[in-house]
Amino acid sequence: MKVGAGNAEIMFQKELFPLEGFCGIHDLPKVSVLVIEEAQKVAIVSIEIVMLWDDFIEKCRKAVAEITDTPPENVWIHVTHAITTPHAPGGPRIGLGGEVTEGKEDSEEAELLKKRESYENTIMHALQKAAEEASLLKEAEMDVGTGSCDLIRGRDIETPGGWWIGIDGTGESNETMTVLGFRDTDSNLIAVLLSYGMKPCVIDNSEMEKGNRLISADAPGLCCRELENSLGTTVLYCTAAAGDRVPVKTAWYDQVGSDGKPETVDLGVQQGIAFAREIAGQMAAAAEKIIDEAKPVRVNEISHKAGAFVWETKGRIPLQPYRELTFTSDGKKDVPVEIISLGSVVLVAGKPEINAITERQLQERSHYRNTLYLSMVNGGMKYMPDLESYHRISWESQASMLMPGAAEAFVDKAIKLMEEN
């Protein structure tokens, strides 16, 4: 097996501000690229950004494919969904309920176009730089390790009027952190892939209305920086099943007010940054322990498979607590499913964010020792919650663009791909 890796900072320029309440930068997010070859060649890209639109993702896939000599269909562009990063100025984004909406900044059109060009060029430059580094492959072996990292909680909370999102909520959780380490023939690390179910939202939307937001890769990104410094290697963070999870500490959240209705608590950007640094240190410590105890896994062949299933979509509804609600179909949509198998490890990629219960169902039915889900790969589709989430009328089920049953159909399709010869 041969492996190459590289990363580069997304050097956002001053001309981008103000934008979406951002006024500056706390830490620069990164683009990281991992290329693996054994019969087939695949490239996994992790971009520490909130989201990217389909047209630009295709440009990114083609760029990585050309630079690393990887088939375009074998390139995965994963965004970590770091909330404390800006959407494209004036460009499309996935709004509440999964609707693709246009930006509504107050800038003049010419200024927006200038900001958008700067935004695109900055991300593409980092991507190309990281891909160039990753194109230099070395003979390698893979280690796999898992361990507990108790830094996430449920976000679904019950209010008198129905279910909403907050902190210290209920629901099934998965505190398992999985690390894939790739080492050269001298046992030096080439790259680390870190899979964990924490959405980068410790700082979240704090002080958006005041215009005090600072760009950050949030706790998972800061964790990667600590590991890169201590291990001297490229570290990719891949957000797993985090649809109904939140970090143990967050600076911006909803709670049930004295009137029984949701109310927002904003602890401020600086408190959010302090939380993010604290959690990043705890994540990094857990990851280093797992890396030290990881065991080698033989990879004789890499297999990439892709498929899709058709599912009914649903229209947008006002997001609020409900005790009763009927979901109504308004069309159909293809839901992509992809897998990459590496020995006893399989990576499962989807566009939507899923809940921990769906991740468990996927892992229970998989014949692979380690089954990892990567959300928001090659685009986003908002949430794909489990059936129980629809029964409770959770926030995720309201915001989903898919009718009930999609998560279960996704698991069926993924397992079918795993079992194909």
Side-chain angles (χ1 to χ4, degrees), residues 159-334:
T159 77
W163 289 87
W164 194 241
I165 50 174
I167 55 174
D168 293 326
T170 62
E172 186 171 326
S173 189
N174 181 7
E175 286 79 38
T176 300
M177 176 184 286
T178 303
V179 177
L180 307 184
F182 299 88
R183 298 181 183 273
D184 64 20
T185 53
D186 295 321
S187 295
N188 298 313
L189 279 168
I190 301 171
V192 167
L193 187 151
L194 179 62
S195 172
Y196 187 54
M198 180 188 287
K199 187 185 298 185
C201 63
V202 175
I203 307 168
D204 215 310
N205 291 317
S206 183
E207 297 195 76
M208 177 186 284
E209 293 183 1
K210 293 181 179 180
N212 293 335
R213 303 180 79 194
L214 298 175
I215 288 176
S216 174
D218 208 272
L222 294 174
C223 166
C224 290
R225 301 300 87 79
E226 290 199 28
L227 292 173
E228 287 161 359
N229 290 334
S230 63
L231 302 174
T233 193
T234 297
V235 180
L236 296 81
Y237 181 75
C238 295
T239 310
D244 56 351
R245 305 291 95 191
V246 287
V248 289
K249 294 182 179 180
T250 178
W252 189 85
Y253 59 91
D254 281 357
Q255 65 181 12
V256 181
S258 57
D259 61 356
K261 297 180 180 179
E263 64 178 19
T264 299
V265 176
D266 190 340
L267 301 180
V269 170
Q270 293 307 316
Q271 182 63 77
I273 290 171
F275 285 161
R277 288 173 175 165
E278 177 186 349
I279 291 174
Q282 294 169 327
M283 288 178 66
E288 289 209 51
K289 185 176 186 294
I290 294 169
I291 291 168
D292 289 342
E293 298 174 354
K295 304 297 183 183
V297 170
R298 183 178 295 277
V299 180
N300 294 321
E301 181 183 10
I302 294 173
S303 175
H304 170 258
K305 298 176 184 177
F309 63 95
V310 179
W311 204 254
E312 290 186 331
T313 57
K314 66 180 183 65
R316 294 189 72 194
I317 58 174
L319 297 176
Q320 63 186 49
Y322 291 93
R323 285 299 178 188
E324 294 183 4
L325 182 66
T326 300
F327 298 108
T328 305
S329 173
D330 68 349
K332 294 183 178 181
K333 193 175 187 69
D334 286 341

Side-chain angles (χ1 to χ4, degrees), residues 34-79:
L34 173 66
V35 178
I36 313 171
E37 183 176 26
E38 181 63 51
Q40 284 197 57
K41 181 185 277 190
V42 298
I44 300 171
V45 181
S46 176
I47 306 180
E48 295 169 345
I49 204 78
V50 61
M51 70 153 289
L52 294 172
W53 59 105
D54 289 351
D55 290 349
F56 187 67
I57 285 175
E58 288 307 308
K59 290 180 182 178
C60 291
R61 294 180 77 184
K62 289 178 181 178
V64 172
E66 290 176 2
I67 293 170
T68 64
D69 193 28
T70 302
E73 63 273 17
N74 288 6
V75 177
W76 285 5
I77 305 293
H78 164 69
V79 298

Side-chain angles (χ1 to χ4, degrees), residues 344-374:
S344 62
V345 176
V346 65
L347 310 178
V348 181
K351 288 186 175 184
E353 297 178 68
I354 65 171
N355 292 350
I357 188 171
T358 301
E359 183 181 48
R360 174 181 55 79
Q361 292 169 347
L362 183 64
Q363 292 169 343
E364 286 178 344
R365 292 179 57 187
S366 169
H367 66 271
Y368 289 86
R369 186 177 305 165
N370 298 97
T371 301
L372 309 179
Y373 182 76
L374 280 69

